[in-house]
């Protein structure tokens, strides 16, 4: 970021002393790797407020989720064709792996996971979900995703529209694609872009959005915030960069290349609620894991991963391969960072609700964005 105010210059200087380069407004650095505490006091505070956890419970949860994330890929490989999906179970602090038969149960358990016998393989559920992706959904259908815990494809409909003929027809068509269950939501999802109202965002045209994660040469954000070639202004209103690539709908991601005078850092802002978070990688958190979001409107909030590979049916069109969370968000938070511990997860897309009454928010996974544009995440 540009050094245009004493506060930002001071923070940048502080970050320089630990080899981060520079950053815009924030409070302090994350605890260094290897420190006694798993998380900062501020992060533990946020998990207490948003997840109802004591500091000790939050510490234990973070350690358990880190272990579960490490087991998940090995469990998938070990289970092979019997793999029925997996999720983190907060009550036990362990990863649960669904298996369609018991032939690989002992080997999966030896990795440190619990197992559950399920009817449908993850591959079969993914095929059913892909068939749904080929359908055109009416506005009363909010989205659909594979739920490993339910061992089903879940179609979410807007409660007020659940009896509408078009919604009923879509659900009946969906049920012919494979194992499908129906859930309800009070409100249809929407994107979280907003008009120019100030704060610490970036701007394109009259739209305000939030920076996601730094990559070498710029940062990633939400595609609905701007089209390729659109100019971007920084938090101070000066020229910051240009959208080098953007995709929405279908996807909801974009890459902004920055001009000289700005620089990137492996940091997610804690906005004074928590210490600024260092980004050390992009290992994907499992379903059920805790996750936090940083955005320019509602700043820092936490929740859990509810579903992966969900198709979200916005009014502008469907977006695929999204991750659903219980984290709240509001207008202007679009593009902001979702992070689990020190691992980048994705950029905020949209949702329903707000941070006063609650809601759900989806993000586009970071690794898909990096792969699409050939980018390298800036890590500490």
């Amino acid at each position: 970021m540009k050094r245009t105010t004493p506060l930002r210059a001071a923070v940048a200087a502080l970050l320089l002393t630990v080899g981060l380069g520079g950053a815009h407004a924030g409070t302090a650095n994350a605890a260094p790797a290897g420190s006694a505490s798993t998380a900062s006091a501020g992060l533990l505070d946020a998990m207490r407020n948003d997840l109802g956890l004591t500091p000790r419970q939050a510490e234990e949860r973070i350690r358990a989720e880190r272990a579960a994330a490490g087991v998940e890929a090995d469990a998938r490989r070990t289970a092979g064709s019997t793999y029925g999906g997996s999720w983190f179970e907060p009550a036990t602090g362990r990863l649960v792996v669904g298996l369609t038969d018991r032939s690989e149960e002992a080997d999966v358990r030896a990795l440190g996971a619990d197992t559950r016998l399920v009817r449908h393989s993850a591959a079969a559920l993914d095929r059913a979900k892909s068939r749904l992706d080929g359908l055109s959904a009416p506005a009363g259908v909010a989205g659909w995703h594979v739920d490993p815990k339910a061992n089903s494809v879940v179609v979410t409909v807007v409660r007020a529209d659940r009896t509408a003929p078009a919604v009923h027809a879509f659900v009946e068509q969906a049920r012919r694609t494979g194992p499908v269950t129906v859930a309800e939501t009070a409100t249809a999802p929407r994107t979280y872009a907003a008009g120019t109202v100030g704060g610490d965002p970036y701007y394109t045209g009259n739209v305000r959005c939030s920076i996601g994660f730094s990559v070498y040469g710029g940062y990633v954000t939400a595609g609905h915030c701007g089209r390729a070639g659109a100019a971007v202004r920084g938090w101070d209103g000066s020229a910051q960069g240009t959208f080098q690539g953007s995709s929405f709908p279908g996807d909801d991601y974009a890459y902004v290349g920055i001009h000289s005078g700005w620089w990137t850092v492996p940091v997610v802002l804690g906005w004074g609620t928590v210490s600024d978070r260092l980004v050390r990688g992009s290992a994907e958190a499992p379903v059920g894991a805790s996750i936090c979001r940083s955005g320019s409107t509602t700043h820092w909030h936490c929740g859990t991963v509810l579903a992966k590979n969900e198709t979200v049916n916005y009014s502008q069109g469907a977006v695929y391969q999204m991750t659903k969370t219980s984290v709240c968000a509001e207008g202007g938070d679009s593009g902001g960072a979702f992070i689990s511990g020190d691992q980048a997860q994705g950029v905020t897309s949209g949702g329903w609700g707000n941070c006063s009454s609650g809601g759900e928010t989806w993000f586009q996974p970071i690794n898909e964005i990096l792969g699409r544009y050939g980018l390298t995440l800036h890590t500490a």
Side-chain angles (χ1 to χ4, degrees), residues 130-378:
S130 293
R131 288 190 285 270
L132 271 182
D133 287 345
L135 304 179
S136 178
V141 176
W144 51 93
H145 67 275
V146 171
D147 184 343
K149 196 169 184 178
N151 196 228
S152 174
V153 177
V154 177
V155 175
T156 305
V157 301
V158 179
R159 188 170 299 122
D161 298 324
R162 67 187 184 280
T163 60
V167 172
H168 178 75
F170 181 87
V171 169
E172 289 305 305
Q173 195 173 7
R175 284 179 168 142
R176 291 193 289 272
T177 68
V180 166
T181 56
V182 177
E184 293 183 0
T185 182
T187 311
R190 59 185 175 85
T191 56
Y192 281 130
T196 301
V197 295
D200 192 11
Y202 72 87
Y203 304 87
T204 177
N206 66 345
V207 171
R208 170 170 64 83
C209 282
S210 302
I211 292 173
F213 292 94
S214 286
V215 296
Y216 287 98
Y219 57 83
V220 294
T221 186
H224 69 263
C225 291
R227 295 304 182 197
V232 175
R233 305 186 308 280
W235 59 269
D236 61 352
S238 65
Q240 183 184 64
T242 305
F243 277 86
Q244 300 298 311
S246 178
S247 180
F248 178 80
D251 309 297
D252 194 6
Y253 51 61
Y255 162 48
V256 174
I258 58 174
H259 298 323
S260 60
W262 298 81
W263 65 91
T264 64
V265 290
V267 171
V268 171
L269 290 178
W271 297 99
T273 301
V274 301
S275 299
D276 294 348
R277 310 303 297 165
L278 294 179
V279 179
R280 300 190 185 276
S282 58
E284 189 176 329
V287 170
S290 62
I291 193 166
C292 297
R293 179 194 56 74
S294 179
S296 63
T297 298
T298 58
H299 298 171
W300 185 271
H301 287 276
C302 299
T304 57
V305 177
L306 299 178
K308 296 184 182 182
N309 192 24
E310 176 153 10
T311 300
V312 179
N313 193 36
Y314 292 129
S315 61
Q316 301 94 327
V319 177
Y320 307 100
Q321 296 179 321
M322 301 272 271
T323 298
K324 180 162 82 171
T325 76
S326 63
V327 187
C328 67
E330 295 179 12
D333 286 327
S334 279
F338 267 91
I339 189 167
S340 180
D342 56 11
Q343 300 296 303
Q345 299 298 307
V347 299
T348 303
S349 173
W352 62 268
N354 56 54
C355 289
S356 297
S357 58
E360 294 175 337
T361 303
W362 286 265
F363 67 81
Q364 185 88 69
I366 183 69
N367 290 326
E368 180 184 356
I369 309 171
L370 299 177
R372 169 63 179 82
Y373 295 118
L375 303 171
T376 300
L377 187 67
H378 191 166

